[in-house]
Amino acid sequence: MKLETLNFFDKVYEVAKLVPYGRVTSYGAIAKYLGAARSARMVGYAMNGSGGKDVPAHRVVNRKGLLTGKHHFEGTNLMQQLLENEGIEVIDNQIQNLKLVYWDPSVEL
DNA sequence: CTCTTGACTGAGG
DNA sequence: GCCTCAGCCAAGA
């Protein structure tokens, strides 16, 4: 594929796919890793197109570990279910022990 | 080109 | 720690 095909959105998908099982990261962390630290919002915006792709969007939350994007999933608790299925404790859209499951691409990679 | 939108974030009170 | 405000920037109309 051409480099030009790797748009901001596509890069977001690539990084999202790199998130390990049972871990989560933030929009800002991904943005920073892509060199667009100020474009955290675009990361989330990009995830709109993650549907139909192999992107584990449920592993991407905001910096507080809050499932702000759960409304973009089918059910009302699908995102939380997926996370809990990976061993991540989630209570009321809030990830517990965030530090333990947090994964920062700009650090881990 | 301009204006709006948004799954965010950091700073200030 | 919580709430509010403003800046950020790419995409779509």
Side-chain angles (χ1 to χ4, degrees):
Chain A
M1 61 172 74
K2 297 185 307 179
L3 290 176
E4 280 136 46
T5 60
L6 289 177
N7 296 325
F8 186 82
F9 279 39
D10 296 309
K11 290 181 182 178
V12 172
Y13 303 147
E14 292 301 311
V15 178
K17 290 182 191 174
L18 295 178
V19 179
Y21 179 92
R23 298 295 187 83
V24 298
T25 191
S26 69
Y27 303 97
I30 294 176
K32 182 179 180 183
Y33 179 71
L34 296 179
R38 309 293 174 63
S39 301
R41 313 175 79 169
M42 296 300 93
V43 176
Y45 189 73
M47 298 311 273
N48 282 314
S50 65
K53 299 186 182 297
D54 305 329
V55 181
H58 59 279
R59 292 184 190 149
V60 184
V61 298
N62 72 350
R63 72 180 185 91
K64 301 172 197 162
L66 193 61
L67 311 191
T68 55
K70 69 169 300 181
H71 298 293
H72 292 263
F73 283 80
E74 297 179 13
T76 54
N77 63 339
L78 176 60
M79 188 174 184
Q80 180 175 322
Q81 289 297 307
L82 290 171
L83 290 171
E84 293 183 327
N85 187 46
E86 299 189 356
I88 299 175
E89 185 179 12
V90 181
I91 299 176
D92 190 36
N93 304 327
Q94 174 64 59
I95 293 178
Q96 306 300 303
N97 304 314
L98 181 60
K99 288 184 181 177
L100 300 180
V101 298
Y102 188 73
W103 179 85
D104 188 342
S106 64
V107 175
E108 304 290 342
L109 300 183

